[in-house]
Short mmCIF file of all heavy atoms in Angstrom, two decimals:
data_model
loop_
_atom_site.label_atom_id
_atom_site.label_comp_id
_atom_site.label_asym_id
_atom_site.label_seq_id
_atom_site.Cartn_x
_atom_site.Cartn_y
_atom_site.Cartn_z
N HIS A 270 6.38 -8.35 3.07
CA HIS A 270 5.31 -8.51 4.04
C HIS A 270 4.73 -7.16 4.44
O HIS A 270 3.51 -6.99 4.53
CB HIS A 270 5.82 -9.25 5.29
CG HIS A 270 4.79 -9.40 6.36
ND1 HIS A 270 3.72 -10.26 6.23
CD2 HIS A 270 4.65 -8.79 7.57
CE1 HIS A 270 2.97 -10.18 7.32
NE2 HIS A 270 3.51 -9.29 8.14
N GLU A 271 5.61 -6.17 4.65
CA GLU A 271 5.14 -4.83 5.01
C GLU A 271 4.28 -4.25 3.90
O GLU A 271 3.22 -3.67 4.16
CB GLU A 271 6.34 -3.91 5.27
CG GLU A 271 7.07 -4.19 6.57
CD GLU A 271 8.25 -3.25 6.77
OE1 GLU A 271 8.40 -2.29 5.96
OE2 GLU A 271 9.02 -3.47 7.72
N PHE A 272 4.72 -4.42 2.67
CA PHE A 272 3.97 -3.87 1.54
C PHE A 272 2.64 -4.59 1.38
O PHE A 272 1.59 -3.96 1.19
CB PHE A 272 4.79 -3.99 0.26
CG PHE A 272 4.17 -3.28 -0.91
CD1 PHE A 272 4.33 -1.92 -1.09
CD2 PHE A 272 3.42 -3.98 -1.84
CE1 PHE A 272 3.75 -1.26 -2.16
CE2 PHE A 272 2.82 -3.34 -2.92
CZ PHE A 272 3.00 -1.98 -3.08
N GLU A 273 2.67 -5.92 1.48
CA GLU A 273 1.46 -6.72 1.28
C GLU A 273 0.43 -6.44 2.37
O GLU A 273 -0.77 -6.26 2.08
CB GLU A 273 1.81 -8.20 1.27
CG GLU A 273 0.61 -9.11 1.03
CD GLU A 273 1.00 -10.57 1.03
OE1 GLU A 273 1.99 -10.93 1.68
OE2 GLU A 273 0.29 -11.36 0.39
N SER A 274 0.86 -6.39 3.61
CA SER A 274 -0.09 -6.24 4.72
C SER A 274 -0.77 -4.88 4.70
O SER A 274 -1.92 -4.76 5.13
CB SER A 274 0.64 -6.44 6.06
OG SER A 274 1.65 -5.47 6.22
N GLU A 275 -0.08 -3.88 4.17
CA GLU A 275 -0.65 -2.53 4.22
C GLU A 275 -1.36 -2.12 2.94
O GLU A 275 -2.32 -1.36 2.97
CB GLU A 275 0.45 -1.51 4.54
CG GLU A 275 -0.10 -0.13 4.84
CD GLU A 275 0.87 0.73 5.61
OE1 GLU A 275 1.97 0.24 5.93
OE2 GLU A 275 0.54 1.88 5.89
N PHE A 276 -0.90 -2.64 1.80
CA PHE A 276 -1.41 -2.11 0.53
C PHE A 276 -2.10 -3.15 -0.35
O PHE A 276 -2.64 -2.80 -1.39
CB PHE A 276 -0.26 -1.46 -0.26
CG PHE A 276 0.44 -0.37 0.51
CD1 PHE A 276 1.74 -0.55 0.94
CD2 PHE A 276 -0.23 0.81 0.82
CE1 PHE A 276 2.37 0.44 1.67
CE2 PHE A 276 0.40 1.80 1.53
CZ PHE A 276 1.71 1.63 1.96
N ASN A 277 -2.11 -4.42 0.04
CA ASN A 277 -2.83 -5.42 -0.73
C ASN A 277 -4.29 -5.41 -0.29
O ASN A 277 -4.76 -6.25 0.47
CB ASN A 277 -2.21 -6.81 -0.54
CG ASN A 277 -2.86 -7.84 -1.44
OD1 ASN A 277 -3.49 -7.50 -2.43
ND2 ASN A 277 -2.69 -9.11 -1.10
N THR A 278 -5.00 -4.43 -0.80
CA THR A 278 -6.39 -4.24 -0.39
C THR A 278 -7.27 -3.98 -1.60
O THR A 278 -6.79 -3.45 -2.61
CB THR A 278 -6.50 -3.05 0.59
OG1 THR A 278 -7.88 -2.76 0.83
CG2 THR A 278 -5.84 -1.80 0.03
N LEU A 279 -8.53 -4.35 -1.49
CA LEU A 279 -9.47 -4.11 -2.59
C LEU A 279 -9.86 -2.63 -2.66
O LEU A 279 -10.30 -2.15 -3.70
CB LEU A 279 -10.72 -4.97 -2.40
CG LEU A 279 -10.50 -6.48 -2.49
CD1 LEU A 279 -11.80 -7.22 -2.19
CD2 LEU A 279 -9.99 -6.88 -3.87
N GLU A 280 -9.71 -1.93 -1.55
CA GLU A 280 -10.09 -0.52 -1.50
C GLU A 280 -8.92 0.34 -1.98
O GLU A 280 -8.17 0.90 -1.19
CB GLU A 280 -10.49 -0.13 -0.07
CG GLU A 280 -11.66 -0.92 0.48
CD GLU A 280 -12.94 -0.69 -0.32
OE1 GLU A 280 -13.12 0.43 -0.83
OE2 GLU A 280 -13.74 -1.63 -0.43
N VAL A 281 -8.79 0.43 -3.31
CA VAL A 281 -7.66 1.16 -3.88
C VAL A 281 -7.68 2.62 -3.46
O VAL A 281 -6.65 3.24 -3.21
CB VAL A 281 -7.67 1.06 -5.42
CG1 VAL A 281 -6.53 1.86 -6.03
CG2 VAL A 281 -7.58 -0.40 -5.85
N GLN A 282 -8.88 3.19 -3.34
CA GLN A 282 -8.99 4.61 -2.99
C GLN A 282 -8.44 4.90 -1.59
O GLN A 282 -8.06 6.04 -1.31
CB GLN A 282 -10.45 5.07 -3.07
CG GLN A 282 -11.04 5.09 -4.47
CD GLN A 282 -11.49 3.70 -4.93
OE1 GLN A 282 -11.42 2.73 -4.17
NE2 GLN A 282 -11.93 3.61 -6.18
N SER A 283 -8.42 3.90 -0.73
CA SER A 283 -7.97 4.12 0.64
C SER A 283 -6.45 4.05 0.80
O SER A 283 -5.92 4.32 1.86
CB SER A 283 -8.62 3.09 1.58
OG SER A 283 -8.13 1.78 1.27
N ILE A 284 -5.74 3.68 -0.28
CA ILE A 284 -4.29 3.54 -0.21
C ILE A 284 -3.63 4.91 -0.18
O ILE A 284 -3.97 5.80 -0.97
CB ILE A 284 -3.77 2.72 -1.41
CG1 ILE A 284 -4.21 1.26 -1.29
CG2 ILE A 284 -2.25 2.80 -1.51
CD1 ILE A 284 -3.79 0.39 -2.46
N ASP A 285 -2.70 5.08 0.73
CA ASP A 285 -1.86 6.27 0.77
C ASP A 285 -0.76 6.08 -0.28
O ASP A 285 0.22 5.39 -0.05
CB ASP A 285 -1.25 6.45 2.16
CG ASP A 285 -0.40 7.70 2.29
OD1 ASP A 285 0.10 8.18 1.25
OD2 ASP A 285 -0.22 8.18 3.43
N HIS A 286 -0.96 6.68 -1.46
CA HIS A 286 -0.06 6.39 -2.58
C HIS A 286 1.36 6.89 -2.35
O HIS A 286 2.32 6.28 -2.84
CB HIS A 286 -0.64 6.98 -3.87
CG HIS A 286 -1.76 6.18 -4.44
ND1 HIS A 286 -1.56 5.08 -5.24
CD2 HIS A 286 -3.11 6.29 -4.28
CE1 HIS A 286 -2.72 4.55 -5.58
NE2 HIS A 286 -3.68 5.26 -5.00
N GLN A 287 1.51 7.96 -1.61
CA GLN A 287 2.86 8.44 -1.31
C GLN A 287 3.60 7.45 -0.42
O GLN A 287 4.77 7.12 -0.67
CB GLN A 287 2.78 9.81 -0.61
CG GLN A 287 4.16 10.43 -0.39
CD GLN A 287 4.06 11.85 0.12
OE1 GLN A 287 2.99 12.43 0.19
NE2 GLN A 287 5.20 12.43 0.47
N LYS A 288 2.92 6.94 0.58
CA LYS A 288 3.54 5.94 1.46
C LYS A 288 3.77 4.63 0.71
O LYS A 288 4.81 3.98 0.87
CB LYS A 288 2.65 5.71 2.68
CG LYS A 288 3.31 4.80 3.72
CD LYS A 288 2.44 4.66 4.96
CE LYS A 288 3.11 3.77 5.99
NZ LYS A 288 2.26 3.56 7.17
N ALA A 289 2.78 4.25 -0.12
CA ALA A 289 2.91 3.01 -0.89
C ALA A 289 4.10 3.08 -1.84
O ALA A 289 4.84 2.11 -2.02
CB ALA A 289 1.63 2.74 -1.68
N THR A 290 4.30 4.26 -2.45
CA THR A 290 5.44 4.44 -3.36
C THR A 290 6.76 4.24 -2.61
O THR A 290 7.68 3.57 -3.10
CB THR A 290 5.41 5.84 -3.99
OG1 THR A 290 4.21 5.99 -4.76
CG2 THR A 290 6.61 6.07 -4.90
N GLY A 291 6.83 4.81 -1.40
CA GLY A 291 8.04 4.65 -0.59
C GLY A 291 8.30 3.21 -0.22
O GLY A 291 9.43 2.72 -0.30
N GLU A 292 7.24 2.50 0.19
CA GLU A 292 7.40 1.10 0.59
C GLU A 292 7.74 0.21 -0.60
O GLU A 292 8.53 -0.73 -0.48
CB GLU A 292 6.11 0.60 1.27
CG GLU A 292 5.80 1.25 2.61
CD GLU A 292 6.82 0.88 3.68
OE1 GLU A 292 7.56 -0.12 3.50
OE2 GLU A 292 6.88 1.58 4.70
N PHE A 293 7.13 0.52 -1.75
CA PHE A 293 7.44 -0.26 -2.95
C PHE A 293 8.89 -0.03 -3.36
O PHE A 293 9.59 -0.96 -3.79
CB PHE A 293 6.50 0.13 -4.09
CG PHE A 293 6.63 -0.74 -5.31
CD1 PHE A 293 6.22 -2.06 -5.27
CD2 PHE A 293 7.19 -0.26 -6.49
CE1 PHE A 293 6.34 -2.88 -6.39
CE2 PHE A 293 7.32 -1.06 -7.60
CZ PHE A 293 6.89 -2.38 -7.56
N GLY A 294 9.37 1.21 -3.22
CA GLY A 294 10.77 1.50 -3.49
C GLY A 294 11.69 0.71 -2.58
O GLY A 294 12.72 0.18 -3.02
#
C-alpha cells in the first residue's frame, strides 16, 4: 500500500527513485 500510494503514478519523472528503490526493497 505504501509503495502503491506513493509511486503508482503516471508522472514517472516526478518519482523520487532513491526513495522508491528503498520502498520497493
